[in-house]
Amino acid sequence: MSAIPVEYEALFAPFMQAPPVDVAGCARVAGLPIYAIDLPKGVSGMIKLNNANSFECYVDRSEPSVRQRFTAAHELGHFVLHRSQIGSGLQDNYLLRAEGMSNSQEAEANRFAADLLMPRELISDAISGGTTDVASLAKLFKVSEIAMSIRLGLPT
């Protein structure tokens, strides 16, 4: 079962037809703009309430694109799953732990990100089509090899 709520699955479906999933498109239709900026050392991403009382997502533009994509998907997970608990903002560091969020909420946001970026059906289709090794799958889905290995249940 997906960590993405059913109402968002329908909203995100046009962006999830083939790899790589358009995470920016998903965020846009959900109402969460994503900006790549320079963030403080050790901060991969953040989501915050702006002066107009709407949320914005920031990812560290100095990080590899695969990391930025996962961070954006993770922050979108917080937006979708934990919006009422975000308050004025939260930051995620390299360990994907956010101040004010429980370990279970961080795990939920990580699972959301994995379900969004690496839908199991698309992975199965890719494998059936002959893309079978971790490196090739990671490249196809524009995720890190570590993220793909975890998704496939392989030791990292």
Side-chain angles (χ1 to χ4, degrees), residues 20 134-143 145 148:
V134 171
S136 297
L137 286 165
K139 184 176 181 179
L140 178 64
F141 284 83
K142 293 190 178 179
V143 298
E145 289 184 27
M148 184 57 72

Side-chain angles (χ1 to χ4, degrees), residues 83-99:
R83 189 176 326 176
S84 65
Q85 298 160 305
I86 294 173
S88 61
L90 62 96
Q91 295 182 345
D92 286 324
N93 65 20
Y94 284 94
L95 299 175
L96 294 176
R97 296 290 180 262
E99 202 172 306

